Structure formats: C-alpha cells, structure tokens
C-alpha cells in the first residue's frame, strides 16, 4: 500500500493520527448508515412486491370487465361514453424522512370517482369497468410513489457504499502505512541519537 509522501516529523505524525482517527470514525458512521439504508430499501422493495401483486390481481379483473363492456355496448358507444368520463389527478413532490435523510418523493392525489355519463345510456358493465380502472389507477399511482422512494434509496446506498469502499481500501490503509512509516523513522532517529550520545560520552570519558 502506498503511503503519503511527507516528512517523518512529530508534527506530521500527529496530523496523520488525527486523519486516521477521523477516517475510522467516518467509516463506522457510514457503515451504520449503509446498513440502515439497505434495511429501508429491502422494506420498500417488499412494499413494491405487495403492490405489484395487487396490481396484477386488479389487471386480471379490470381488462375482462372492459372486454365484457365492449361486447355488450359495442366499441363506438363505449368510446362515446368514455368521452364524458374525467378523472382529476394531482401530482405533487413531497419530502420523506428516511435514515435521517430528507428524500424527495411523489404524492399522487386522486379525486373521488364520479360517473358523469347518463345512466339511461349505459349498462351495469359500464359502472363495473369504470370502478375497476379507478382502483387500478389508485394502485398504479401508489406504486409510482413507492418506486420513487426505492430508486432514491438505491442511489443513496450506492453512494454510501462507494464512500465506505474508499475509506476501507484507500484512505485508512494509506493513513496506517504513513503512520507506521513515520513512527518507524522517528524511532530510528531516536536510536541513532541515543547511540551517538553514548559514543560522545565515551569519547569524553577517555579524553
């Protein structure tokens, strides 16, 4: 492992020790953050799986209802009735606090279901189809919001993991190698100074 190219002095040793201590503390904090983020991401993924199962069930009932309605009314009449149907949807950004982070997410608000066409010109199959697709839309909007959070969490996990890897594989080993080098150099100087002092004393005693 490559060390820092700095002079082996006591002042530099103090600085390296401080950097090493900061890096170790940062590594512990980031590792804790990464674990929390991974847990939150796994929980969010489980929520997505549940919503996807609900979505598949709703699709399995909504499209057969649509097909039945088309058989009863015919495509042209169904198309005319659909033009009288409007659904109000509001999309807003919202902030979600997860693992101490304020993450942007999506808030979707659906207006109440309103059957705006004339009952005289429709059949029960129309109402059933509209209700089915309204419920399908509710699941889709909720799924979009949860997937947005999952995407943000996954991105934070990757960023945190890169920082953990940088500290673990580069910053901390380099600091340790530099610290060991400076300590070894200072010890060698002290030994040389000690032997030089003894040698001078011997020469002085013989004089």
């Amino acid at each position: 492992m490559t060390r820092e190219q700095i002079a082996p002095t006591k002042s530099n040793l103090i600085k390296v020790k401080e950097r090493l201590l900061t890096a170790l503390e940062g590594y512990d904090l980031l590792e804790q953050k990464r674990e929390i983020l991974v847990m939150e991401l796994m929980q969010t993924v489980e929520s997505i799986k549940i919503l996807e199962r609900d979505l598949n069930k709703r699709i399995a009932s909504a499209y057969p209802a649509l097909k039945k309605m088309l058989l009863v009314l015919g495509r042209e009449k169904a198309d005319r009735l659909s033009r009288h149907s409007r659904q109000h949807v509001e999309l807003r950004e919202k902030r979600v606090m997860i693992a101490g982070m304020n993450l942007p997410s999506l808030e979707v608000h659906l207006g109440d279901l309103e059957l705006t066409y004339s009952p005289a010109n429709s059949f029960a199959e129309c109402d059933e189809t509209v209700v089915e697709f309204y419920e399908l839309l509710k699941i889709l909007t909720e799924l979009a919001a949860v997937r947005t959070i999952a995407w943000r969490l996954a991105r934070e996990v990757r960023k945190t993991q890169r920082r953990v890897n940088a500290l673990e594989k580069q910053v901390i080993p380099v600091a340790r190698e530099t610290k060991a080098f400076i300590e070894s150099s200072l010890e060698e100087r002290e030994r040389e100074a000690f032997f030089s002092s003894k040698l001078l004393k011997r020469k002085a005693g013989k004089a």
Side-chain angles (χ1 to χ4, degrees), residues 49-197:
K49 289 179 180 178
I50 293 171
L51 286 169
E52 286 177 341
R53 285 198 293 268
D54 293 343
L55 178 63
N56 290 332
K57 290 178 182 177
R58 185 59 63 180
I59 288 173
S61 61
Y63 280 92
L66 175 62
K67 184 177 180 180
K68 185 178 178 182
M69 184 193 74
L70 291 174
L71 288 173
V72 172
L73 273 70
R75 192 171 296 275
E76 289 185 7
K77 187 174 182 179
D79 183 59
R80 287 198 303 271
L81 288 174
S82 68
R83 294 174 187 176
H84 296 284
S85 179
R86 294 289 183 270
Q87 181 60 54
H88 183 65
V89 180
E90 288 184 14
L91 295 176
R92 291 191 294 266
E93 183 187 37
K94 70 173 181 178
R95 313 298 294 190
V96 181
M97 287 297 296
I98 299 178
M101 296 181 301
N102 192 1
L103 299 178
S105 182
L106 181 68
E107 184 177 29
V108 184
H109 177 70
L110 289 178
D112 294 334
L113 177 61
E114 295 182 9
L115 303 177
T116 56
Y117 50 79
S118 172
N121 296 322
S122 66
F123 295 84
E125 287 78 9
C126 295
D127 296 348
E128 180 185 355
T129 302
V130 171
V131 170
E132 285 284 352
F133 276 87
Y134 177 78
E135 295 299 325
L136 179 60
L137 183 59
K138 283 172 61 178
I139 297 172
L140 282 171
T141 54
E142 186 177 356
L143 183 58
V146 178
R147 278 181 173 168
T148 300
I149 295 174
W151 182 79
R152 301 284 184 185
L153 283 171
R155 189 172 68 172
E156 287 297 328
V157 168
R158 287 194 296 270
K159 285 169 56 179
T160 305
Q161 186 62 58
R162 284 197 296 268
R163 291 171 183 168
V164 168
N165 290 341
L167 287 171
E168 181 181 16
K169 301 181 185 301
Q170 185 176 359
V171 177
I172 292 174
V174 168
R176 282 175 171 160
E177 188 74 18
T178 305
K179 173 176 170 288
F181 165 73
I182 295 176
E183 288 175 339
S184 176
S185 298
L186 291 176
E187 288 173 1
E188 183 65 26
R189 285 182 190 173
E190 288 178 0
R191 283 194 295 270
E192 290 176 357
F194 175 75
F195 288 126
S196 297
S197 176

